[in-house]
Structure formats: C-alpha cells, structure tokens
Amino acid sequence: MKKIFNILCLVIISSILFSCKKFLDTKPQDFLSSSNYFQTEEHLMRSLTGVYDILGSNPIYGANYHSKLGMEAEEGYYFRANLVVGPQVYNITANNTEVLSFWTNLYKGIGRANFLLANVDNNKGISEAFRLQIKGEALFLRGYYYFLLVQNFGGVPLMIKATENANDVHIAKSTAREVYDQVIKDMEVAETLVAPIQQLGYGGRVSKSAVRGILARVCLYMAGEPLKDVSKYEKASFWAKKVMDDVEAAHALNTDFNDIFIKYASDQYDIKESIWEVEFWGNATNVYREGGFLGSWHGINCVNTTIGYSQGIMKGTRRLFEKYKSGDLRRDWSLAPFLYRADGTKSLFTVTPTNLQKYDRFSGKYRREYETLLPKDNNNTPINHPLLRYADVLLMFAEAESQAKGVPTPEAIEAVNKVRRRGYGKYLNGIGAVSESISSIIVSSQGTGYTAATTVNIAGGNGTATATAVVSGGKITAVNITNAGNKFSSPPIITFSGAGTGAVATATLTDITTADLAPADYVSQQKFMESIQDERARELCFEALRKQDLIRWGIFITTMKSVLADMLVDSPTGFMSLAFKNVAEKNLLFPIPANEIGINKALVQNPDWL
C-alpha cells in the first residue's frame, strides 16, 4: 500500500542512527556522524521513516502483536493444536524469544526517535515548520512505543536522550506512573506540532486527530488498573471530544462496517473513519515492499492463491458470537460465516449453529479477496492494520464521560448508539437511519408440494438479502434469514421457486430503535459500563485491543476463566481451551526478557515471574 515516505528510506538508518544503550554490547565499527547528516529535509524524513518502520516490524503490528502477543483475549483462540508453548497460549518463560523481540524492537524505535530529536535542529536553514512537524511525529512515536511497553511490562527503563556512551547499559526501571507521565508529556507536545489529518489526506502518518485519540486511550489506561488514577477519565473525555468536535477534520463513521476493512485491503483511505493505521505495501516480488501478515496469518483459512493464501490462525469464541444480537451486521464480517473451498468458492455455515459450532468461525475482518495488488504472496500482504478508528473514539468518549460524570449522560449514550446504528446498517453521517435490514420473514400460508430444493426469492425495496426455506411434509413451515441485508428502503417481496404452490411469506424490516441501547442497558452506571464493554468487543474485536481493555477494567482473569467454563462444557477435551486454562495473574504483564536482565544489571524481574 502507499507508504508514508519513500520505501527506499526504510532501512538506511536501521543500524546506524539509533539505539538504546542496552542493545549496544559492542563498539560500533562504522558510524554515520550526526555532524554530516541531518542537513536536509530528505535526511530528516529518512530518519523519521526509520522511527515509523518499527510499527510494521514482525514483532509489533507486522505479525506477532495481532496474532500472538496481543492475542484477542476472550474473543478468540489460537487455532493450532500442536503449538502448546508460546505467548498465544500463556505458556512462556523469561527466555521467550518473541517477548524479547517485542521489547527490543520497541526500544529500537525509541532509540531512533531519540537520535532524531537530538539532531532535528542541526541545520537551522531547514524550514522551522518542517522541523517542528518532524519533531512532533518523533515525540509521539516515542511516546507510543513507551505506551506499548508500559501496558505489557509495567515499569521499564525510561530513556529520553540519545545514546552517548555504548558502555553505559545499567539503567533501572522507572515506575509505571513515571512512564505514563512521560508518554502524556511527549504526546501533548506532539499534539501542538503535527499536521491536521485533512492536510495529510491519509491515516498512515501521525496527525492531530491521531494524537488526540491516542491520548484519550492513554488516559483511559491510566484511569484503570493498575494505576487507578480516576482523574484521568475527565482528560480522556476531553481528548476524545477534541476529535469529535473537529469541524475541519469532520470525522464520521463509514456507513458500511464491512467497507472499513475492504479499504484496508484494497489500498484506499477513509480518514473520516480510519484515523491512524500501520501502512503495509508490496507482495515480496521486489525490494520495494513492507508487507504484513494480516490476512495471511490472521484471516480466513484458504489454500486458493487467487483468493489469497491464509493460514487462518485465529478463530472466534462462542462468547463473542453470542454478544451479537439479531440484526447486527457486524457479526458475519468479524466472524466469517463460511469456509473457502480449494476452488475459491464459499461453503456456508449453518445459520443456527450448535454451541460447539460457534467456535468454528475464523476471524473475518482481514479478507484477502479484496487485495488489489497482484500477484498475491502467500505471506506478505498489503492489508493495513487499524490503530485508531473513529468508532473507538466514540466508545472511549462514552466510557470516559460517564465515568467522569458518575452517570450515563445523554451524550455518552448517544455516542454508543451511533456505533450501534452503523453496526445495524442504520447510520448516515451521524444523523439517522439510511437503510433497514430484514428482521423477520413470517410464513402466513404454508402451501403444498414443496421440496428441500425450494429457493427463496427476495426482490424489491432497493436492497439485497438471502434466506432459506424450511420444508416439512411438502409445506414451507419457516424461512430462515441467512443475510439480513442493510440497504432496504421498503419491505421486499418474498416468493418461492421450484416445485410447490400456495406459500405466502411477508418480510418485516428493522427500525432505528432496533440498534439503540435499551433503557435497561444504561439504567445504572454499572449497566452502562457493561454495555460499553460488550460494544467494544462487537466493534473492535481482532484489532489487538481486547486483552488490554480487559486488564485495565480489572476483569481479565475472571473473564478468561468464565469462557473456560463454557469451553469445558462445549468441548471438554478441545485444544481451544489451552490459553484459557494456562492464563494466570502473572500474565497481566510479560516477564522482563532474561537477556536484558543479563545485560542490564540494574533491571529486576517482574515479581510474578521471579
């Protein structure tokens, strides 16, 4: 996909313009001096590209964070029965190489940012506006990398200056509070320096909207476990509202939930909805590439290379399936209701699955059939990773505003309802219903002479939908909706094809109140909070957010064990329950990598990993 900067720039300073002290255990033999670099706009841009590049590395959003390290908690499970060791099943030690790589790459990004920040003003002849924008983006990315570290490791060594002595490697942890405070400091400065998103025109580069939205997220994490700084709810609400009230950016929900992810796959941008995303590009056919593994790892299992090969390593749980209610169109996109056959055609699942069958659906947001870059590589895909969507901003605002005020305010309730209306196919630029789905098809006359081959025809009303007939004794006793559609302006006409005559059925459409929260969903602050928690699962599943959400809410372990209880009833010997069996309190954080403790004698291990 379109890269932020020239792809050629990605590696030129990967090993020469960074590094945090702990990664330099030998003296460099070759070095590009800052005195003869950072002299042009191109130099600064190349250095900034190196800072961005960490986002797309395999240990971060390129592969592991959306597939193993940031596993989707109770929403999904790792679909590989033979892999019984690793972070994806909560069975690791401090020697785990994936955790080490995650830590190392984040600090590599921090080191690159520090080096750039130390040298951004070397040539005052470069436009000050240009230098300030570069500084803002580097500050934000440094803050974001520390945000990922503190979420996953707790307190970590805090280094905010470029390395001057490669032998100085012994740096103690700062507290989690100190790390969070530095994240806030970096991001608040960045917010004043970076460009508006409408000026950039795409979501792969840090904008004011991205900084504000991520600041809302950071504040929500500080308000929750383990810091419990509830004063940050007000700040989270403030930053989310800044995104919502930005008239020039004019953020709004895409009217079609599916289209968000089709755009991620097909090299399109929608800066109204997708505020910040990790850019991927290329198909491994030449050196100009930086592919990720969304779709090929985390996607719908497929061996057909025209559709796009996918290992399909993540499946959803019954718990997630059942969070979606009738008429919610997001379910069948997020949890694919089909399998790809070898010839590329789709084999549909039953519309009324058993409890065990509800675990069969692959994570479906990242679909390779929509990629436009050909030929398709078996591993590298150009599908961008969502980091911040407008729907998330609305839900963060609802949570923060209600927690800050102590009650579910009308503004908070409306923010949730906007997300829900889009999920039910009823959203148009934030102001009302655009279309309806079929809520039911009622058979008023069963007719005679029908067979199992009977076809249900749905015509008219400016929409499309599908359904199947239930035939018993030659009569049509019911009609099951397989795709409720989302573009009907009036009820369609239902007819039947094949043998048989006399059956009559009538379709009923949903209405706007179908999507909105019921009064019982916000009758109390606790009920509203539970509604938001469920809505975040329905809207944001498989976007590498759920585990940390559950942790900050203080319900990670209890939720995982609750799902385990379901699994042991549904499939007592199933491998899908392995992660849920293994997870324990110590998994609220990763262990500090043993390799780092060996190098940095001032580091101490997280208590539960001693």
Side-chain angles (χ1 to χ4, degrees), residues 449-509:
Y450 291 97
T451 70
T454 297
T455 299
V456 180
N457 305 305
I458 303 175
N462 299 315
T464 58
T466 58
T468 58
V470 178
V471 178
S472 177
K475 299 179 179 181
I476 297 178
T477 58
V479 175
N480 290 330
I481 301 166
T482 55
N483 179 356
N486 69 339
K487 297 183 183 298
F488 289 98
S489 57
S490 60
I493 303 301
I494 308 299
T495 59
F496 302 96
S497 300
T501 59
V504 177
T506 303
T508 300
L509 299 183

Side-chain angles (χ1 to χ4, degrees), residues 360-524:
D360 286 341
R361 293 189 174 208
F362 287 99
S363 167
K365 283 185 171 178
Y366 311 110
R367 304 191 181 194
R368 301 204 62 189
E369 63 185 281
Y370 294 100
E371 291 175 24
T372 56
L373 181 63
L374 302 176
K376 297 177 183 179
D377 183 67
N378 280 354
N379 290 304
N380 292 270
T381 81
I383 301 177
N384 282 8
H385 191 294
L387 291 178
L388 179 68
R389 295 198 285 112
Y390 187 58
D392 189 5
V393 173
L394 291 172
L395 294 175
M396 287 192 293
F397 169 76
E399 179 180 348
E401 178 74 359
S402 62
Q403 291 291 335
K405 299 290 177 58
V407 294
T409 65
E411 294 83 1
I413 295 167
E414 178 63 13
V416 177
N417 283 339
K418 286 179 178 179
V419 176
R420 290 175 60 84
R421 289 170 196 155
R422 193 266 301 278
Y424 283 70
K426 300 172 179 302
Y427 203 86
L428 177 61
N429 296 329
I431 59 174
V434 62
S435 57
E436 305 294 339
S437 305
I438 298 176
S439 63
S440 64
I441 299 177
I442 304 300
V443 177
S444 56
S445 177
Q446 297 181 344
T448 59
Y450 291 97
T451 70
T454 297
T455 299
V456 180
N457 305 305
I458 303 175
N462 299 315
T464 58
T466 58
T468 58
V470 178
V471 178
S472 177
K475 299 179 179 181
I476 297 178
T477 58
V479 175
N480 290 330
I481 301 166
T482 55
N483 179 356
N486 69 339
K487 297 183 183 298
F488 289 98
S489 57
S490 60
I493 303 301
I494 308 299
T495 59
F496 302 96
S497 300
T501 59
V504 177
T506 303
T508 300
L509 299 183
T510 59
D511 57 51
I512 195 65
T513 60
T514 304
D516 286 5
L517 291 169
D521 296 324
Y522 51 85
V523 68
S524 67

Side-chain angles (χ1 to χ4, degrees), residues 22 28 93 110 130 135 139 149 159 172 202 236 251 325 332 338 372 374 405 439 453 498:
K22 63 183 63 191
T93 68
I110 291 165
F130 185 86
K135 179 180 179 181
L139 277 171
L149 282 166
M159 293 172 284
Y202 59 102
H251 289 293
K325 306 307 177 185
D332 286 351
F338 62 85
T372 56
L374 302 176
K405 299 290 177 58
S439 63

